[in-house]
Amino acid sequence: MKKVCVSTYCEWTSYGSVLQAIGLSKTLEQLGCESFIVRDEPPATNCRLPLFAKNPKQVVKNMLSRMFHNEKEKRYRKTIEFMKTNTKVLYYNDYDVLRNNVPQADAFLAGSDQIWHPNLCKPSFFLDFVPAGMPRFSYAASMGISTVPSEKEQRFAELVSGITAVSVRETEAAHILEQQFGIKASVHIDPTFLRSKEEWRTYEKEYIIGKPYILVYPIFWDKKLNRQLRLLHKRTGMEIVSISTDFTRNFATKYLHDVDPGEFLYLIDHAEAVVTSSFHGVAFSIIFNKRLAAIVNPHSPARIENLLRTLSLEASDILDVLQFDMTQYASVNRIVCEEKDKSICYLKEILKPNE
C-alpha cells in the first residue's frame, strides 16, 4: 500500500478544514493508499483566546467571545474527539523539527483549502521540507485571493516551483500561476465533493432544533444583511439558527456555539435552507442539495464565485431562499460527478507506481 503524506489545514477551529481533510484521506484510501496529515505546529490544548492582540478590534472580539467560553470549551472537546476518530495527524513543534524529521512516505501531497495564500507563504504547505528527488504534488490548493502581491512574488515563486504536478481549486489561481510564474496548473474540485452525501451522512451527529429552521453560517458578514434575516423570520415564522464559532453580528433567533463537525453536517442536511458566506458552508449545502443563499465576501470573492460558476448554480437572495430553484440540482449533480471523475483520474495518475 502506497503511503501518502498530506500537508494541509486540519484544525478544530474550522469545520471546513477538518472535513476537507477527511474527504481527501478517504478518497486516497479508496485508491489503495494509506495517508496521514502533517502539521508543523503542536496540537491545540485548549480553546482560550488571548486577551491581547495587535489589532484593537481583535482584542474586543476576543473579550466578547469569552462570554461563550463554556459552549466553546464543549465544542473544542467534541471536535478534538471527532478528529481523533476520523483523521490521522502527525504534529511537530515547529517547521525545523518537521524538516529535520521528515516522515516516511512514497509521495507528498499539498492538500486543499487556502494553503497557498500568498500573504502566508508557509513552507510546509509547499512541501519545502521534502528531501530532493521525492515526488511532490498538490491537489485543489487554494490561494484565497486573485493576485500575488509584488513583495511576495519571489518567495511564492521559489516555493511553488518545487511542486512536480500542480493542482489548484480555482481557475483564477491557475491563471495567476501561468501569467505571473509561467507554471501550468490543472483545476480540481474541493475534496469534500469527492464523497457523496450518503457517505457524509455516516459522519453526522444529531443536533435537535425541534422545529423547522433556516441555518445561517456566517464567516464574513455585513450587518446590513440583518434586515433581510429579520424579514425572512417574520415572513416564514421559522427559527433562524446561527452556527456561531465566535462572537458574531448576524441576526438569529437561536445561536449555537458548541457545534462539532458531525453536528455541522447534520444541521446543514436537515435545514429548510442555508444562508452562508463560508466556502465549505456553500459546498456542503450543494452536496446535500439544499436551498441556498450564498453571501460573497467582496474582499475575497473568488472561492465561492468560482464554485458556483463551475457548477452552473445560481444561489438565491436571502429573502427568496425558500424559493430557490431546486431543479438546478439535476445538472449540478451531473457536473459534480464529472468533476469528481476528473479529480480521481488526476490522483491516480500522480500516485501510480513508479515504473
Side-chain angles (χ1 to χ4, degrees), residues 50-114:
L51 282 177
F52 301 101
K54 292 182 179 180
N55 186 335
K57 289 184 178 180
Q58 188 63 46
V59 173
V60 174
K61 187 176 180 181
N62 290 351
M63 292 177 66
L64 291 171
S65 294
R66 289 199 169 201
M67 296 166 55
F68 315 108
H69 175 74
N70 290 340
E71 294 94 334
K72 196 166 186 178
E73 179 71 27
K74 186 177 179 182
R75 175 193 168 205
Y76 165 78
R77 292 196 305 270
K78 293 191 299 183
T79 302
I80 292 298
E81 186 61 33
F82 183 92
M83 291 171 63
K84 286 180 179 178
T85 302
N86 297 296
T87 65
K88 182 178 180 180
V89 185
L90 300 183
Y91 294 96
Y92 295 79
N93 285 336
D94 56 42
Y95 180 72
D96 287 337
V97 175
L98 171 60
R99 185 177 56 185
N100 294 324
N101 298 272
V102 179
Q104 288 190 339
D106 300 298
F108 293 84
L109 184 64
S112 187
D113 225 337
Q114 293 185 72

Side-chain angles (χ1 to χ4, degrees), residues 127-275:
L127 307 173
D128 201 46
F129 62 90
V130 178
M134 291 295 293
R136 311 179 197 186
F137 311 104
S138 70
Y139 176 79
S142 177
M143 295 172 63
I145 58 178
S146 57
T147 186
V148 177
S150 57
E151 66 273 15
K152 299 288 185 178
E153 280 188 347
Q154 182 176 349
R155 181 57 176 155
F156 188 90
E158 292 171 353
L159 290 170
V160 77
S161 63
I163 306 297
T164 308
V166 179
S167 161
V168 293
R169 200 174 66 185
E170 290 89 30
T171 55
E172 289 83 354
H175 293 155
I176 291 169
L177 290 171
E178 183 169 8
Q179 294 170 8
Q180 286 190 250
F181 306 102
I183 294 174
K184 292 281 188 179
S186 51
V187 180
H188 295 102
I189 204 161
D190 187 82
T192 53
F193 287 97
L194 302 182
R195 318 303 297 162
S196 69
K197 63 183 176 182
E198 290 78 18
E199 289 168 320
W200 282 119
R201 281 173 178 152
T202 65
Y203 295 93
E204 288 186 6
K205 290 173 59 181
E206 188 175 21
Y207 198 117
I208 298 175
I209 300 301
K211 55 183 178 179
Y213 63 92
I214 295 168
L215 187 70
V216 180
Y217 179 45
I219 299 298
F220 158 82
W221 192 256
D222 186 336
K223 59 183 180 181
K224 294 177 182 178
L225 298 172
N226 286 339
R227 181 176 179 273
Q228 295 182 50
L229 284 179
R230 288 190 177 94
L231 282 173
L232 182 63
H233 170 58
K234 184 177 180 179
R235 289 179 183 179
T236 65
M238 290 186 187
E239 289 269 28
I240 306 296
V241 176
S242 176
I243 297 179
S244 303
T245 57
D246 226 321
F247 177 77
T248 182
R249 300 184 299 172
N250 68 284
F251 167 80
T253 58
K254 188 178 185 66
Y255 296 90
L256 309 179
H257 298 279
D258 62 349
V259 174
D260 71 20
E263 293 164 330
F264 173 78
L265 292 173
Y266 179 91
L267 287 164
I268 291 177
D269 192 12
H270 290 79
E272 296 298 317
V274 179
V275 178

Side-chain angles (χ1 to χ4, degrees), residues 1-2 4 21-36 191-200 202-203 340-341 343-345 347-348 351:
M1 180 177 285
K2 177 166 281 193
V4 182
I22 291 173
L24 183 55
S25 67
K26 291 300 179 183
T27 301
L28 292 172
E29 184 180 300
Q30 286 190 334
L31 295 178
C33 297
E34 176 187 352
S35 69
F36 58 91
T192 53
F193 287 97
L194 302 182
R195 318 303 297 162
S196 69
K197 63 183 176 182
E198 290 78 18
E199 289 168 320
W200 282 119
T202 65
Y203 295 93
K340 179 178 177 179
D341 290 343
S343 295
I344 295 298
C345 287
L347 290 170
K348 285 181 177 179
L351 298 172

Side-chain angles (χ1 to χ4, degrees), residues 299-311:
H299 305 294
S300 182
R303 292 177 296 146
I304 289 178
E305 287 183 347
N306 183 87
L307 177 60
L308 297 177
R309 186 168 61 247
T310 297
L311 301 180

